[in-house]
């Protein structure tokens, strides 16, 4: 019999030559880990109709390849183990795989906050104990989005080392290491993520076509996908596809007319413009789309200012700006059609004589034609918005009230067009599901971690709960486990703090994540309080990962964690009585709550506990309270509702009639 060491093969799932037809992908190769206690699959190719055998530990199995040469084994439930050898034989060939383990296997999916590398995390990889990473094995599925279903995934299992883990998902890696520490059972973690990817790419074609939200759009895409021509002779990257798409939608910079009308001139009359408190996204003012906006602020400088040089610190701006001082161009950064300078801090040097003694005007054209994750304006943070003279004798904050005017509404096409990019577009309908999940169909898992939602935040909040529920159903079918537990990691706090932001979009995603968790019996991980004002990628992934590991260790021991949630709401004597389905921490005074009457104008509320699971909420400015919101902002200024074991509760809203109330006023 011919014996082949698997290391001489490519482990790609492809035929390795006419002389040797026996083949399996790297997913089942050296250092692979299989889920203990469950049946799981091993797939490969051999000669058509050949008898194939598999041995691992004390297990010996027989299968037959079909007429196309494909075979499938179903490994029986096995006990945790390490250092096993697996052999697969057919038609005189044998493949030998070394150092196979049996343990707990998880898949970690999502976008950039899941992809965020451990080398960039704080705390970082040096906090991992050697004895903990020794029990972890990692498989990185490279992002791929060809049209059609892939037969295999590229890559191979790797035993965790500090060097390897540095570029692996920080959240997934910290989770795996801490779970191994808690259980002593080998842990396998599969990474299936990509920055900037929407949820639609992770959902099957079938589910999209059965969705009320996406049926028509998905059906249209299926009818034209093979006729899409990008004009290139190679498969373009998603960035190239996005650039091409935006270029077709906006072949030229829109002529909004603002500069021609003198919107940035010193003496322009902006008295009829609206006012926005900055730093902030224009989304918070109700403009939930990309576009072109002008901002103006009057400042007064002391005598002697005209002879000084200044540095103008504007904070981050999404995505392009043209900045003027007293009508004179002071600086410009970015292209409103590109991502090169998304959230880049602007600092412009202004020569002497431009700023004058007395009254001055700073005027900015801020523009973004592409809506992804969050939309535009002067985003701060506040500490990076100031004017300072070269000699530091003058320093003036630029936060607070600015006059503003919208001149061009670009809609949310930057978000929606990506779903139909076709091959090579990582956001394309069902692209990741077909290429990264279907090839490992039937793999038994202990659970799944999901961290995504930013890319759907602009315009999909109202449908995200349905989409996430569909995705969880798809994954459960794919991995043959109707009860597969998901850890849904809720979006953290981000951007400028507010007490109440009725037009904010991330609270809608958080609400949808909470609803999907309840609908599917999944676990919700609330991350409010761990975010960052400016950075959409909070660097502390370790604390969140270890929270999940603690919950998973308890679940494996038969004790699934339950985070308290609002159960009912009623009105008594001018107060709203909120009943929760589990005890809360009554030692903390709740903050971040607002109430309104039926007019939907909200006011900060005073709160008190009448029982461990009952909260009384009222405001002296609302005589007949009807609706309540908690932590309803991209970045809630106040928190205060915690479980008895001090976990933050998920943000929520509720009304006496059971509706989802929509407020009318921003409360800073």
């Amino acid at each position: 019999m011919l014996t082949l060491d698997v290391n001489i093969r490519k482990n790609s799932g492809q035929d390795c030559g006419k002389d040797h037809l026996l083949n399996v992908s790297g997913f089942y190769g050296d250092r692979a880990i299989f889920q203990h206690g469950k049946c799981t699959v091993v797939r490969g190719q051999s000669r058509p109709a050949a008898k194939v055998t598999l041995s691992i530990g004390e297990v010996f199995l027989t299968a037959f390849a079909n007429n196309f040469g494909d075979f499938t084994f179903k490994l029986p439930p096995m006990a945790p183990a390490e250092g096993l050898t697996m052999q697969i034989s057919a038609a005189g060939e044998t493949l030998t795989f070394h150092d196979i383990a049996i343990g707990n296997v998880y898949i970690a999916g999502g976008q950039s906050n899941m992809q965020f590398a451990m080398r960039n995390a704080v705390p970082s990889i040096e906090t991992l104990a050697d004895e903990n990473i020794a029990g972890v094995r990692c498989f990185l599925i490279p992002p791929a989005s060809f049209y059609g279903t892939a037969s295999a995934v590229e890559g191979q299992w790797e035993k965790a080392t500090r060097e390897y883990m540095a570029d692996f998902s920080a959240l997934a890696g910290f989770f795996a290491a801490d779970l191994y520490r808690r259980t002593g059972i080998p842990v396998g973690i599969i990474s299936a993520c990509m920055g900037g990817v929407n949820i639609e790419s992770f959902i099957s074609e079938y589910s999209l076509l059965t969705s009320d939200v996406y049926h028509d759009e998905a059906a249209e895409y299926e009818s034209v996908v093979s006729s899409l021509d990008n004009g290139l002779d190679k498969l373009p990257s998603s960035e190239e596809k996005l650039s091409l798409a935006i270029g077709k939608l906006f072949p030229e910079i829109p002529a909004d007319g603002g500069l021609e009308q003198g919107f940035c001139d010193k003496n322009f009359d902006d008295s009829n413009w609206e006012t926005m408190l900055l730093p902030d996204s224009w989304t918070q003012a109700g403009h939930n789309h990309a576009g072109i906006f002008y901002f103006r602020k009057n400042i007064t400088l002391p005598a002697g200012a005209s002879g000084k040089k200044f540095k103008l610190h504007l904070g981050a701006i999404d995505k392009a700006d043209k900045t003027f001082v007293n009508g004179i161009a002071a600086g410009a950064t970015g292209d409103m059609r590109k991502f090169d300078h998304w959230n880049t801090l602007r600092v412009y040097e202004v020569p002497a004589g431009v700023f004058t003694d007395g009254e001055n005007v700073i005027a900015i054209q801020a523009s973004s034609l592409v809506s992804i994750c969050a939309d535009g304006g002067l985003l701060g943070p506040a500490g990076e918005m100031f004017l300072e003279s070269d000699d530091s004798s003058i320093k003036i904050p630029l936060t607070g009230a600015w006059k503003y005017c919208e001149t061009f509404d670009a809609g949310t096409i930057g978000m929606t067009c990506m779903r139909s990019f076709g091959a090579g577009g990582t956001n394309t309908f069902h692209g990741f599901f077909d290429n990264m999940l279907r090839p490992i169909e039937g793999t038994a898992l202990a659970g799944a971690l999901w961290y995504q939602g930013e890319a759907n935040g602009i315009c999909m909040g109202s449908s995200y709960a349905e989409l996430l529920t569909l995705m969880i159903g798809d994954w459960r079918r794919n991995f043959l486990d109707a009860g597969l537990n998901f850890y849904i990691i809720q979006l953290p706090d981000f951007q400028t703090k507010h007490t109440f932001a009725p037009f904010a979009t991330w609270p809608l995603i958080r609400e949808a994540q909470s609803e999907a968790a309840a609908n599917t019996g999944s676990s919700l991980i609330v991350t409010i309080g761990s975010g960052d004002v400016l950075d959409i990628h909070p660097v502390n992934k370790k604390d969140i990962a270890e929270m999940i590991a603690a919950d998973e260790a308890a679940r494996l021991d038969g004790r699934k964690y339950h985070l308290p949630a609002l159960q009912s709401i009623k009105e008594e004597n001018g107060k709203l009585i909120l009943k929760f389905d589990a005890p809360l921490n009554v030692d903390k005074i709740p903050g971040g709550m607002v109430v309104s009457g039926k007019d939907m104008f909200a006011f900060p509320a005073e709160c008190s506990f009448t029982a461990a699971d009952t909260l009384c909420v009222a405001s002296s400015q609302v005589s007949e309270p009807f609706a309540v919101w908690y932590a309803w902002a991209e970045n809630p200024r106040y928190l205060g509702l915690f479980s008895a074991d001090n976990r933050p509760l998920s943000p929520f809203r509720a009304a006496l009639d059971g509706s989802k109330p929509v407020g009318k006023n921003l409360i800073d």
Side-chain angles (χ1 to χ4, degrees):
M1 176 177 287
L2 177 65
T3 300
L4 304 175
D5 191 292
V6 73
N7 292 323
I8 71 172
R9 296 181 174 274
K10 295 182 179 179
N11 287 332
S12 63
Q14 303 299 313
D15 191 325
C16 290
K18 64 181 180 179
D19 295 328
H20 305 301
L21 295 181
L22 184 61
N23 183 42
V24 299
S25 76
F27 189 73
Y28 308 109
D30 284 344
R31 301 171 298 280
I33 179 170
F34 300 112
Q35 177 62 37
H36 80 89
K38 294 182 179 181
C39 294
T40 192
V41 300
V42 173
R43 291 193 178 89
Q45 299 80 38
S46 181
R47 297 181 185 277
K51 180 180 179 179
V52 190
T53 62
L54 180 151
S55 65
I56 178 172
E58 298 180 356
V59 173
F60 184 84
L61 304 173
T62 300
F64 286 88
N66 63 21
N67 291 338
F68 300 97
D70 301 315
F71 63 81
T72 301
F73 286 102
K74 204 66 172 281
L75 300 186
M78 301 174 68
E82 289 190 273
L84 301 179
T85 297
M86 182 171 70
Q87 287 192 329
I88 300 176
S89 302
E93 299 181 61
T94 295
L95 299 177
T96 301
F97 301 96
H98 306 286
D99 195 15
I100 305 298
I102 312 296
N104 285 313
V105 184
Y106 299 84
I107 187 166
Q111 58 181 107
S112 54
N113 265 309
M114 182 62 85
Q115 188 182 32
F116 190 85
M118 192 173 285
R119 71 166 67 251
N120 299 320
V122 180
S124 192
I125 194 167
E126 67 274 1
T127 62
L128 286 176
D130 290 335
E131 60 269 25
N132 295 338
I133 61 175
V136 175
R137 295 164 186 242
C138 306
F139 192 98
L140 175 64
I141 302 179
S145 54
F146 295 90
Y147 186 71
T149 301
S151 60
V153 291
E154 297 183 70
Q156 57 188 7
W157 283 97
E158 298 287 354
K159 295 187 75 170
T161 63
R162 292 182 185 277
E163 182 180 12
Y164 180 82
M165 295 289 278
D167 292 314
F168 197 73
S169 163
L171 194 144
F174 280 127
F175 162 79
D178 196 56
L179 184 64
Y180 177 71
R181 177 185 69 83
R182 294 172 182 273
T183 64
I185 297 174
V187 177
I189 191 79
I190 304 165
S191 172
C193 50
M194 177 68 182
V197 176
N198 57 41
I199 193 173
E200 295 90 331
S201 189
F202 290 94
I203 301 175
S204 72
E205 177 184 355
Y206 172 82
S207 290
L208 290 169
L209 289 172
T210 59
S211 165
D212 291 338
V213 176
Y214 280 125
H215 174 271
D216 291 346
E217 188 180 348
E220 172 66 17
Y221 169 68
E222 301 305 329
S223 72
V224 302
V225 63
S226 293
S227 65
L228 295 174
D229 184 1
N230 53 55
L232 301 178
D233 295 327
K234 61 180 178 64
L235 184 68
S237 66
S238 280
E239 291 77 13
E240 288 174 313
K241 278 184 168 284
L242 179 58
S243 179
L244 288 167
I246 298 302
K248 290 178 181 178
L249 291 167
F250 302 104
E252 297 180 356
I253 298 295
D256 70 299
L259 295 176
E260 291 75 11
Q261 295 177 59
F263 285 3
C264 294
D265 293 349
K266 180 177 182 178
N267 296 319
F268 178 80
D269 182 6
D270 58 20
S271 58
N272 64 339
W273 284 18
E274 296 182 82
T275 299
M276 189 184 303
L277 295 179
L278 298 179
D280 219 341
S281 164
W282 60 57
T283 300
Q284 306 303 321
H287 305 280
N288 189 22
H289 53 257
I292 302 175
F293 289 73
Y294 288 80
F295 296 89
R296 292 173 58 89
K297 186 174 184 65
N298 294 322
I299 61 170
T300 302
L301 296 180
S306 60
K308 298 180 183 293
K309 299 177 182 179
F310 283 85
K311 282 190 177 179
L312 180 58
H313 296 254
L314 298 175
I317 298 179
D318 174 34
K319 301 188 174 52
D321 76 285
K322 294 180 180 178
T323 297
F324 298 81
V325 174
N326 295 326
I328 300 171
T333 303
D335 182 326
M336 65 181 74
R337 297 171 294 184
K338 298 180 180 179
F339 289 86
D340 303 41
H341 298 283
W342 179 76
N343 262 20
T344 300
L345 294 175
R346 268 63 164 182
V347 181
Y348 296 132
E349 295 186 358
V350 182
V354 177
F355 280 105
T356 63
D357 301 357
E359 292 298 313
N360 295 264
V361 175
I362 300 171
I364 303 168
Q365 181 204 64
S367 55
S368 167
L369 298 183
V370 188
S371 298
I372 298 177
C373 298
D375 246 329
L378 280 67
L379 304 178
E384 295 293 338
M385 293 183 65
F386 59 92
L387 177 68
E388 185 173 25
S389 61
D390 252 13
D391 60 6
S392 299
S393 62
I394 301 173
K395 186 174 182 179
I396 297 176
L398 298 179
T399 56
W402 287 62
K403 290 286 191 175
Y404 83 97
C405 176
E406 177 185 2
T407 59
F408 184 76
D409 181 347
T412 56
I413 192 65
M415 169 70 219
T416 57
C417 74
M418 292 188 295
R419 300 195 288 256
S420 300
F421 275 175
T426 52
N427 280 283
T428 301
F429 280 135
H430 56 83
F432 274 15
F433 183 84
D434 291 340
N435 288 266
M436 301 172 71
L437 300 173
R438 281 287 294 277
I440 57 173
E441 180 182 11
T443 298
L445 301 174
L449 285 66
W450 177 250
Y451 197 164
Q452 193 275 339
E454 301 94 331
N456 290 87
I458 287 292
C459 58
M460 301 308 299
S462 61
S463 58
Y464 191 82
E466 177 191 348
L467 295 174
L468 183 50
T469 300
L470 287 173
M471 192 207 78
I472 291 172
D474 278 336
W475 288 30
R476 286 174 170 172
R477 283 186 292 272
N478 192 67
F479 297 114
L480 304 182
D481 187 345
L484 182 66
N485 190 60
F486 272 73
Y487 287 97
I488 301 171
I489 302 164
Q490 202 175 65
L491 294 188
D493 29 324
F494 177 51
Q495 296 192 340
T496 300
K497 288 183 177 293
H498 291 292
T499 300
F500 177 57
F503 304 114
T505 58
W506 279 29
L508 298 176
I509 298 294
R510 296 185 189 116
E511 178 184 65
Q513 291 167 325
S514 180
E515 290 176 355
N519 293 341
T520 61
S522 300
S523 301
L524 183 70
I525 302 298
V526 176
T527 63
I528 287 289
S530 67
D532 189 280
V533 172
L534 181 62
D535 195 345
I536 200 171
H537 306 118
V539 296
N540 187 351
K541 305 298 185 189
K542 190 171 188 283
D543 288 350
I544 301 300
E546 293 183 352
M547 181 193 306
I548 303 171
D551 287 357
E552 178 62 4
R555 189 189 71 84
L556 293 173
D557 199 35
R559 298 174 287 109
K560 186 172 182 178
Y561 182 82
H562 175 72
L563 185 70
L566 181 64
Q567 188 175 50
S568 65
I569 176 174
K570 64 180 180 179
E571 189 273 338
E572 287 184 1
N573 301 320
K575 300 177 180 180
L576 294 178
I577 309 300
L578 308 184
K579 179 82 170 180
F580 295 84
D581 62 4
L584 305 182
N585 185 344
V586 298
D587 294 328
K588 291 194 174 183
I589 300 174
M593 302 200 73
V594 301
V595 297
S596 79
K598 290 185 178 180
D599 62 2
M600 292 296 126
F601 282 95
F603 296 89
E606 296 180 356
C607 306
S608 61
F609 285 103
T610 58
D613 61 356
T614 306
L615 186 67
C616 178
V617 183
S619 171
S620 59
Q621 295 171 287
V622 182
S623 59
E624 296 181 2
F626 177 77
V628 61
W629 295 261
Y630 169 65
W632 200 263
E634 249 88 351
N635 190 349
R637 183 177 298 280
Y638 305 107
L639 300 176
L641 288 180
F642 294 85
S643 63
D645 59 349
N646 217 32
R647 294 264 193 103
L649 265 62
S650 174
F652 63 82
R653 56 178 170 167
L656 293 176
D657 64 355
S659 65
K660 294 180 178 180
V662 179
K664 293 184 177 180
N665 56 312
L666 178 74
I667 302 177
D668 191 51

